[in-house]
Every structure is written in C-alpha cells, then in structure tokens.
Amino acid sequence: MPASPSPLGPANARFLAALLLGALALCAAYAALVLGQATYADVRALGRITFHNGYYDYLPVRVSAAEFARAQQLALGGAGALALAAALAGAGRRGRRQLGALAAETRAAGAGAWHTLAGLPSAQRWAAGASLALLTGARLFFGLVKAYHPDEIAGYDFFVRPGLLAVSSFYPVPNNHVLANTLSWLFFQVSPDLWFTLRLPVLLTATAGTGALFAGLVRFGTFRAALVALTPFAWLQLSLYHAVAGRGYWLLMTLAGVHFLALVALRARPQAPRVAWAALLASGILGCYTVPAFAYVVASASGYLGLGCLGRRDWAGLGRAVAVGAGIGAGAALLYAPLLLLSGWRLLLANGYVASRPWPVFAHALPAFAWFTEGTLAGQRTVGALAFGAGLGAFGWLLWGPAGARLAPDLRAAVRRLGLPALWFVLLPYALLAVQRVLPPERVLLYKALYFFVLVGLVVDAGLRARPGPWGPRLAGLALGLFVAYQTYTMCYLVAANRRYVGATWRAFDWLATQPPGRVLVGNNESSLHFLFLAHYRTPGRRWQFDTSAQPGVRYRYVVVPPDYQGPYRPPRPARPAYHDGVDDIYALPAPGQPVGHDPLFD
C-alpha cells in the first residue's frame, strides 16, 4: 500500500537538521558555560558542602585538575562544533527561508492564541480573568504563610547558595529539580531573601503556566471545557501545594502541558508544523532537565505520534518523530553533562523514591498504588479513584457511544483533537511503570491530572449542551465551587500542621543556640535539615558540630530525638529532656557527655 500523506506537515530535512543542531548547540553552550565559569578550586569546594541524603554526607570529588581542564576544553569545542553545524544547516537561501517560516509561524501561533482569547464574549473573559486572579491570590497567600519544606531549605542551602556549579553538577536529593533550582539561583543573584529566591519563581511559573495552558486548551478545544479542566487541576491540593513550594513540579506540569499542546498542534494544523516541532523539542529537553521523570511525558508523546504514523504508513512523519525524540534525549544529556562529570550516573540514578522492585512485590502493590494515586489526582485520596473511573467511563461513552454522533461540530473536533491524546497520556504511564517495576510518589505523576481533567471538561461541556437551560451551568458551577472549597480547606489544614511542626523545630534550635557549645546528635532527619540551615543563617559566627548518626567513641553534649523515640539514643531513665515541645526532645548530657552507641536505624 502506498504511504498516506503526512498529517505532520511537509517533510523538510534542512529545517529539521537546523532545528536539532541549533537546540543541541544551545544545550552544549550552556554546559560549557557551567564548566567554563568554574575553577578546579570550585570543584573541590563541592566536596565540602554538607548535604543530607538521610544523613549528613559529602560528595566524593574524584575528578582531577587535568581531567576537569580537559572536560572544559571538550565542552567548549563541542559547543563550537555544534554551533558551526547549526549555522551551516541554516545558511543559504533555503535555510533562511526555513528560519523565516519558523519565525512567521511563531508569530502566527501567538497572534492566533491572542485572537482566540480576545474573541471570547466579555462574560467569558471576565470569568477567566476572575478565576485566574482568585487562584493567584490563593497561591500568593499560601506562599506567604506556608512554612518552608526541608527540601526547599536544603535546595537553598546546599545548591542555590554555593553557586551555578553546585546547582548544575551536584545531584543528591533534593537537587533532582535542576532547572527549577537554576531559576532560583538566578533570583538569588538579585536578592538572597528566602521567599524571593524560592517562592517567587514558582509563583511566576505557575501563573504564566496556567495562563498558557488555558490559552492552548481554548485554542484547540472550547472555552467551557478549558475552564472546567483548568479549575480543578489548578486548585487540586497537590497542585496548589506545588504552586507554592520552591520545587520543580509546576514547572514540570507547565512543560508537560506545552508538550501535549505541541503534539495536538501537529495533528490539528499540519500546514504550519515548524513551530509545533520546535515547541515539542524545547519543552521535551527543558522538561527532562527539570525532573528526569519527564521522560514519561516524552514517551507518551513519542508513542502517540509513532503509532499514528505506523497506522498510516507515514514513514516520513515517523522519521521526524524519531529524530525529535532522539534530539530530546541528546539535548537533556548535554545539559546534564556537568552533573555526569562531577556526580556521575550513580547519584543521578540513586533516587530511592523510584527504585525498581521485584516483579511479585510490584504486582502485589500496583492495585493499591493505582487506587490511591488516581484518587489523589482526582481530588480525594481515599475515594477519588471512583471519580477517576467515572470520568474515564463518561469520556468513553462520549467518544464511542451514540452521544458522540450528536455532538456539535466544534465539540466533536475538540474531543478528537484533545480527548484521544489526553486519554493516551493518562493511561500509558502504567505500561512504563510496569516495564520499570517502579511505584513513584504521587507528585511524580501529578502532571497526569491535567489530561484527566481535560477529559472531564469535554464531558461536562457535552452534557451542558445536551441539556441546555440555566440549571446545568449553575449545578456545574456549584460542583466546581465545592471542589475548590474542599481542596482549599485541605490545603489550609496541611499548612497549619506544617507551620506548627516547623515552628516547633525552629524554636528548639533557638533554645539550643542559647546553651553552652557542644557536639549535637540530631536523630530526626527533618530536624537535622532545619538545624543545619538555621546554624548557617541564624548563628553564622558559631561553629556547630552536628551528627545524624552516632559516631563510635564520640561524646555528645546534646541529643535531639522525637518524643516517642525508644531507641538507644535516648539517655537512660530517669534522665528527662532539658527541652520538650512535642516535636523534639533535647537531652543535655553532663559535660563531658556520655558515649552514645552506633544505631544503624539512622544510617
């Protein structure tokens, strides 16, 4: 059978070569910048940064001065070679014509999105604007009142403050959000204030990302479906939390949404494919550099494109999809090059949260994992999976049932353009998890909630059109309001509990700072992170000695443990804590202290 015409735009090897080489040249130039602005003394200094990976530890720097100098030369030479190759690919009349077409398509895409939003009725524009303003206000409020998570202060203390080399090449958890920490490092150059450095970049990212995703969903779908999709997704408690905390998950979700919309654009507007391919490539590289788990998003998009091309025997489109997928992998590898040089593959892959499990253990745990994960992503961890199943069932009825034939043309097109790939993006990660035998934390798969709520938005829009009248929109608005209220209440409860816990830990440190100097054993991982941070910034002139596991033969002056701890760190009765606040008990041992035995529990 002859191959079908490609719906992914006309083949142009010169444009694709210039695009890929240009992206790789930029990635290589950034890696060369990171290495080139550092000295070998900076490299050695990485080994003196105290970080926390369940216990205090240090990076073993195994790169010699000569090896680092060769790496700097290789990075600079590689960046120059790739830049030259990109320039040659884009040179000449045909190359300039392709780059001009990319610029024109980019302007047209921006203008089209703007005209789509500007063309909405005034009531819809007011509704969207009020929703975004209310959401931004809630994010700002929680960003101001929420106490700092240990991962936030660790990111600030261990990576952002030491500089760009530490951010880009030093990879113990929680520096597994490299691009987000890089943005924080940029803000740190303006002001070292903790909120400005950690929370403001996330607030700006989440606000811009919400607006961009809404514009894209309206562009390729309908206003009502976009509003219904973005409202529960953005107000979801886990989503709201990560729009506040100084970590990388809202950046990941924004890039995942852009990656998805670029895929939709390739299918919906094949006459202007260059900007879609460029967006797919850029969002894929940056997403993988944000959190490595973005590979799930790339695999979902590549699989959807690849299967579509195979079904149509579109070999040219398949070749472009493979080339862009390979370019994403190569670009991310170049950005991670400083990390691989100084930290190595072991630290990059040694994340216990995504460790592979034996197949029987994985298979036994998978049903509960899926139930609680999808429940959380649907809004309620215990019973939310029922809503998830109902949403998928309703979309299936809309897609394949008799109701689909009665849809208005614009909604039928939106269901095909947005709904089918969204369903694929929701379900495919389970196949990938099965191959890996991995059960990651819910936040790793949080990006999937966007695609699920896109399906819900399409179903709600179809239902409201099928039964017109004033009560349908009122009931839908009431349901959204109740969902937002419940998620906000949950967030308030968690923030209050977090403030009490972290406040108690900081007060415990303040008490300890008033005591005579002495070596401190901190047997609580979160407290040990906060204590180290506070030691650096509240008492910079005092020399502290903290341990998270007892060192043989060492006499400790203070022992910090949770009140319910019953292990060997607790001094024998009738000893009573000198400080007690319900979170930390601090025992002040008589000088010169008592020897404390080794406890593998804290290793």
Side-chain angles (χ1 to χ4, degrees), residues 292-301 354 425 428-429 432-433 436 438 440 444-445 447:
F294 196 88
Y296 293 146
V297 184
V298 175
S300 299
V354 291
F425 274 62
L428 181 67
L432 304 176
L433 296 179
Q436 293 180 290
V438 164
V444 172
L445 299 177
Y447 76 90

Side-chain angles (χ1 to χ4, degrees), residues 132-159:
L132 182 60
L134 181 62
L135 175 64
T136 303
R139 288 168 169 172
L140 178 60
F141 169 75
F142 286 122
L144 291 171
V145 303
K146 183 188 175 299
Y148 290 98
H149 189 276
D151 282 358
E152 290 183 277
I153 61 173
Y156 182 93
D157 201 9
F158 305 159
F159 314 114

Side-chain angles (χ1 to χ4, degrees), residues 247-270:
R247 306 176 74 190
Y249 286 105
W250 241 101
L251 184 57
L252 181 149
M253 290 187 288
T254 297
L255 292 169
V258 172
H259 206 68
F260 172 79
L261 292 171
L263 165 69
V264 171
L266 278 174
R267 304 283 306 198
R269 308 186 188 284

Side-chain angles (χ1 to χ4, degrees), residues 296 359 362 424 426-437:
Y296 293 146
W359 177 256
F362 170 83
W424 172 266
V426 167
L427 297 178
L428 181 67
Y430 282 100
L432 304 176
L433 296 179
V435 172
Q436 293 180 290
R437 304 192 311 278

Side-chain angles (χ1 to χ4, degrees), residues 28 33 75 112 118 128 130 192 212 242 298 312 360 406 414 472 500 555 578 586-587:
L33 171 67
H242 285 291
V298 175
R312 294 185 305 272
R406 298 192 296 269
R500 288 193 298 270
R555 295 177 179 272
I586 304 179
Y587 291 84

